[in-house]
Amino acid sequence: MTTTLQDCRALDASDPLRPLRDLFLLPEGVIYLDGNSLGPLPKAAPERVARAVREEWGEGLIRSWNTAGWYELPRRLGDTIATLVGAGPGEVVATDSTSVNLFKVLSAALALCAADAPGRRTVVSERSNFPTDLYIAEGLCRERGLELRLVEAEDIPAALDARTAVLMLTHVNYRTGAMHDMAAVTRAAHERGALVVWDLAHSAGAVEVDLHGADADFAIGCGYKYLNGGPGAPAFVWVHPRHAERFWQPLSGWWSHAAPFAFTPDYRPAAGIARYLCGTQPVLSMTALECGLETLLAAQPLGGMAALRRKSLALTDLFIRLVEERCAGNGLALVTPRDHAQRGSQVCLARDEGAYAIVQALIARGVIGDFRAGPPDILRFGFTPLYLGFEDVWNAVEQLREVLESGEWRRGEFNRKQAVT
């Protein structure tokens, strides 16, 4: 049966999560399908950050480390993130960037393997993993004389052998939206004696994650995508308690010292996850991230991550169905898995010609997605159930249909590459 605009409006009317949209400052006339790249601005953030600048920094000055709770921010935000990823209290800290945190945990994982199984000399990852993850791994492997082995997703189980030290994967693939079975993959790696590092950049706040349930070893994630923390927001890091205190992480800055204000010349690592901090924390960015996390906490009385996941799947199901109904014959191919268990919170479409220009034409019409170069070239659309509705999906597909059928994407201004795609 064909889906109508009225059907979409009826779904919005009965959506218990619909009030959460009011937590965000979204421009009028914009359908924002790029929250998987940068989450939108929470309404609370401008005043909250301004207060931190005006009162905490401006009036409290250095006293605010104590009086305004600045010192506790990494752990306090970490405890909130822990509720979204299946970790325990005191096991997560918000700090640094995703890349820096990956360097820390991959270094620690390799140190564990060097101590426990020195014959294991290979890091395995997916060939289509996010490039910064591969760059960090490549650098560490070069430094330590190890091998980085890149394989296709379907070949991961066969690639795990007696030489594998660490399996490093992104839970939801940034190009395709394909999601690994974290528990099954972790179990397979452990059965072969390898540790697993998970990048949750495209899953924390978007899909249900259970790090303890999966018996994962290490995880890092992003603060500015589905956590809505603002551009360049601090990332986060989690280490299973069984590993947390076995080794120093390599960036042993003063913030991770057991007694940072003792100012001793020698380093003594803090207990637990606090040793994965490094230098002085970015308070204003942490303040904005806290506002982003509060938008996710607002979903808890409405069913929390389980409810968000149900709506995410409903939105992405609808988008796929409408694209196939209304844009048929225009050269679009679905890249994202149809199977719910294998799909994150985005839909990716491949096209042989004009993918970048089509995305730019959509942006000009107020439908903001993004482009990822191939092959194949990808039109990428993220679906964040906190603020997107079913009518938004209908209207986005209608705009896509018009861009394709009118050929307006062929215009010169839509084919000029910008620095950020």
Side-chain angles (χ1 to χ4, degrees), residues 16-345:
L17 300 177
R18 192 177 186 183
L20 298 176
R21 183 186 181 97
D22 293 335
L23 299 174
F24 296 90
L25 286 168
L26 287 160
E28 192 68 31
V30 166
I31 301 172
Y32 192 60
L33 304 181
D34 210 12
N36 55 325
S37 217
L38 173 66
L41 177 65
K43 281 184 180 177
E47 174 53 32
R48 178 66 189 89
V49 174
R51 188 167 73 249
V53 172
R54 184 179 58 249
E55 298 175 11
E56 297 172 11
W57 179 15
E59 298 175 13
L61 297 168
I62 200 167
R63 294 170 293 186
S64 289
W65 284 107
N66 295 316
T67 60
W70 287 359
Y71 187 74
E72 292 79 24
L73 273 170
R75 294 174 180 84
R76 187 168 76 240
L77 272 57
D79 282 347
T80 299
I81 294 168
T83 67
L84 305 174
V85 297
E91 293 180 2
V92 177
V93 285
T95 186
D96 296 321
S97 70
T98 308
S99 299
V100 169
N101 287 336
L102 178 62
F103 179 81
K104 296 173 191 174
V105 299
L106 184 55
S107 296
L110 291 172
L112 279 169
C113 290
D116 297 342
R120 294 180 175 270
R121 309 286 294 169
T122 302
V123 175
V124 174
S125 192
E126 191 174 355
R127 191 177 307 279
S128 64
N129 201 350
F130 190 67
T132 195
D133 292 29
L134 301 182
Y135 304 158
I136 294 291
E138 181 182 13
L140 278 169
C141 286
R142 185 186 303 113
E143 175 188 291
R144 300 182 184 208
L146 306 177
E147 176 191 1
L148 175 61
R149 184 180 180 193
L150 304 182
V151 299
E152 303 304 324
E154 60 271 20
D155 297 327
I156 289 170
L160 302 174
D161 57 27
R163 298 169 298 169
T164 307
V166 177
L167 172 63
M168 180 191 73
L169 293 174
T170 299
H171 187 209
V172 174
N173 186 281
Y174 82 105
R175 274 182 55 83
T176 67
M179 183 169 66
H180 289 286
D181 183 333
M182 182 182 287
V185 170
T186 301
R187 183 168 56 251
H190 286 175
E191 287 172 353
R192 292 163 178 80
L195 298 172
V196 188
V197 172
W198 288 102
D199 182 340
L200 307 180
H202 288 271
S203 48
V207 303
E208 294 175 280
V209 178
D210 187 357
L211 290 170
H212 274 291
D215 197 30
D217 297 298
F218 301 87
I220 50 96
C222 179
Y224 55 80
K225 294 180 171 57
Y226 294 104
L227 301 188
N228 306 312
F236 65 90
V237 57
W238 171 84
V239 178
H240 195 289
R242 66 172 170 258
H243 301 313
E245 298 190 9
R246 286 198 60 193
F247 287 94
W248 298 5
Q249 57 98 350
L251 301 178
S252 47
W254 80 303
W255 219 250
S256 66
H257 194 282
F261 289 91
F263 297 115
T264 61
D266 61 309
Y267 179 75
R268 290 185 295 111
I273 195 63
R275 70 178 57 193
Y276 282 82
L277 298 170
C278 182
T280 307
Q281 300 303 304
V283 170
L284 300 181
S285 295
M286 290 274 189
T287 301
L289 175 57
E290 188 162 33
C291 294
L293 293 173
E294 287 168 357
T295 65
L296 287 152
L297 293 180
Q300 289 186 344
L302 303 174
M305 284 307 307
L308 291 171
R309 176 61 172 162
R310 285 193 298 272
K311 183 177 175 184
S312 164
L313 290 169
L315 290 169
T316 50
D317 279 343
L318 175 64
F319 184 79
I320 292 168
R321 185 165 67 250
L322 289 176
V323 167
E324 292 179 340
E325 288 175 2
R326 302 177 64 76
C327 301
N330 283 288
L332 297 174
L334 179 67
V335 175
T336 303
R338 295 179 189 272
D339 185 343
H340 286 182
Q342 297 177 25
R343 185 196 311 163
S345 199

Side-chain angles (χ1 to χ4, degrees), residues 373-397:
D377 285 349
I378 296 289
L379 298 84
R380 192 175 71 152
F381 304 98
F383 292 85
T384 305
L386 287 169
Y387 52 83
L388 286 172
F390 295 92
E391 185 173 354
D392 292 326
V393 175
W394 171 276
N395 289 331
V397 174

